[in-house]
Amino acid sequence: MFAEVLDVERITPGLIRVRFGGGDLHEFESTEYTDQYINGYFVPPDANYPVPFDLDEVRTLGDELRPRPRRFTVRKWDEEAKKLTIDFVIHGDVGFAGPWAKRAVPGDKLQFKGPNGSYSPNPEVDWHLFAGDETAIPGISASVESLGAGSHCVVFIVVDNHEFEIPIHTDATLDLKWLHRDDSTDPSSLLLEAVRNFDFLEGTYDVFVHGEAGEVRELRKYLVGEKSLNPETSSISPYWRRNHTDEAWRKVKKEWLADQENDI
Ligand SMILES: Cc1cc2nc3c(=O)[nH]c(=O)nc-3n(C[C@H](O)[C@H](O)[C@H](O)COP(=O)(O)OP(=O)(O)OC[C@H]3O[C@@H](n4cnc5c(N)ncnc54)[C@H](O)[C@@H]3O)c2cc1C
């Protein structure tokens, strides 16, 4: 399936919103999950084959030219207008997906598979805990937006500074805490420390924690080890790994996740 870029908006210095339409989006089957994501195939700038392409064919072109698969959350799907919105984190000029979004102009095309997903806020619990970095903002926003009056969500998001914050809308009660790396001597521990210092509310809760692998792992260790959270009924997983391209990360991810089981 492919879609065409309709417009591109820089919503913070580190986040680019791309709205897609056309292409095969009339066949897009949205899921019930608020963390649903697509697997996009990002064509390297030096490759000159058009989108859409035959995936099996272009995969044989070698590392320089083959499209790079990357997962991105569906920030919004407009069923009526058949429009898809994705928020891309800009992390310098490295990688394929981030730079693709930086270069994107109306008319560009992106091939993808999906969507798939696995989490929506559990309507049975008393409150919801969300924590993550910029890559989790789309999933957190979509999840929190889906909650109605009477729900309560507690959200921790780590960004560089206040310029990287975005409005988050919901009818639910929202306790939102932005954490700033620029103010910290140990930015990678910000999420863990914020959650550790938080007085957990009374009652049952569910958890959505996503972002950098090492940071997510530390938080998982705390929640499962010290708060007796059941990892099976929580949505906790790494979205990316520092100093690893997505290819390098996928190579070690299985082993890393298995090793994580020994944390507790
Ligand atoms: C289910 C799922 C949903 C996701 N949803 C989103 C989303 O909605 N928006 C989004 O932006 N990302 C999202 N991500 C994360 C995204 O897929 C990764 O960040 C991906 O590695 C980006 O690919 P790239 O080609 O830009 O960089 P890569 O080629 O993978 O990496 C190049 C370098 O950049 C570093 N890097 C990668 N991502 C970041 C980052 N966010 N911040 C700082 N450095 C980074 C890597 O460690 C590496 O050193 C999601 C991931 C998953 C698994």
Side-chain angles (χ1 to χ4, degrees):
M1 167 172 305
F2 80 100
E4 226 173 277
V5 173
L6 295 178
D7 49 61
V8 181
E9 184 190 357
R10 177 74 74 136
I11 54 175
T12 76
L15 211 54
I16 290 183
R17 174 161 293 167
V18 180
R19 235 159 36 100
F20 297 89
D24 300 321
L25 283 179
H26 56 281
E27 290 172 12
F28 188 89
E29 287 183 24
S30 185
T31 73
E32 66 197 279
Y33 301 111
T34 54
D35 73 338
Q36 64 180 336
Y37 60 88
I38 57 140
N39 201 7
Y41 292 92
F42 294 88
V43 177
D46 290 341
N48 59 9
Y49 48 88
V51 179
F53 41 77
D54 179 330
L55 199 50
D56 290 333
E57 213 170 275
V58 293
R59 270 183 182 142
T60 64
L61 293 175
D63 263 5
E64 299 292 309
L65 299 178
R66 69 183 171 87
R68 300 306 179 108
R70 299 285 187 267
R71 290 178 175 183
F72 284 87
T73 305
V74 173
R75 172 63 189 87
K76 190 174 168 199
W77 167 244
D78 182 337
E79 176 65 37
E80 208 172 308
K82 306 283 181 206
K83 285 179 185 161
L84 173 69
T85 303
I86 294 183
D87 290 350
F88 292 85
V89 175
I90 300 310
H91 51 92
D93 291 322
V94 288
F96 291 87
W100 180 90
K102 242 171 142 178
R103 291 191 306 271
V105 290
D108 285 357
K109 292 172 185 161
L110 179 66
Q111 186 155 329
F112 64 92
K113 284 185 180 165
N116 295 295
S118 57
Y119 168 88
S120 279
N122 178 354
E124 305 296 323
V125 297
D126 296 313
W127 61 282
H128 310 271
L129 175 64
F130 298 89
D133 65 16
E134 298 87 342
T135 60
I137 291 179
I140 292 175
S141 301
S143 301
V144 166
E145 261 172 26
S146 76
L147 290 165
S151 301
H152 191 151
C153 34
V154 176
V155 181
F156 297 96
I157 304 176
V158 61
V159 293
D160 285 352
N161 58 55
H162 71 91
E163 287 179 29
F164 292 73
E165 298 176 6
I166 60 162
I168 294 195
H169 304 286
T170 181
D171 290 334
T173 301
L174 173 66
D175 292 335
L176 170 61
K177 176 88 178 140
W178 293 96
L179 311 166
H180 295 157
R181 294 188 188 94
D182 290 356
D183 298 338
S184 171
T185 50
D186 184 11
S188 61
S189 70
L190 277 170
L191 277 176
L192 172 66
E193 289 311 316
V195 174
R196 200 199 280 280
N197 290 324
F198 168 66
D199 279 334
F200 277 53
L201 309 179
E202 293 288 317
T204 55
Y205 62 98
D206 69 351
V207 169
F208 182 86
V209 175
H210 298 275
E212 198 281 323
E215 297 178 29
V216 168
R217 183 168 176 169
E218 287 304 311
L219 202 42
R220 180 184 185 277
K221 191 170 158 184
Y222 170 70
L223 290 167
V224 177
E226 294 185 40
K227 287 288 178 186
S228 307
L229 183 79
N230 178 358
E232 301 301 321
T233 59
S234 315
S235 177
I236 308 182
S237 77
Y239 274 1
W240 64 283
R241 177 74 172 131
R242 207 177 308 285
N243 300 325
H244 288 59
T245 63
D246 207 48
E247 283 75 22
W249 169 226
R250 272 182 273 128
K251 267 191 197 142
V252 298
K253 190 172 175 183
K254 205 170 163 194
E255 204 178 315
W256 197 89
L257 291 176
D259 188 49
Q260 177 177 260
E261 293 308 314
N262 303 322
D263 284 353
I264 294 115

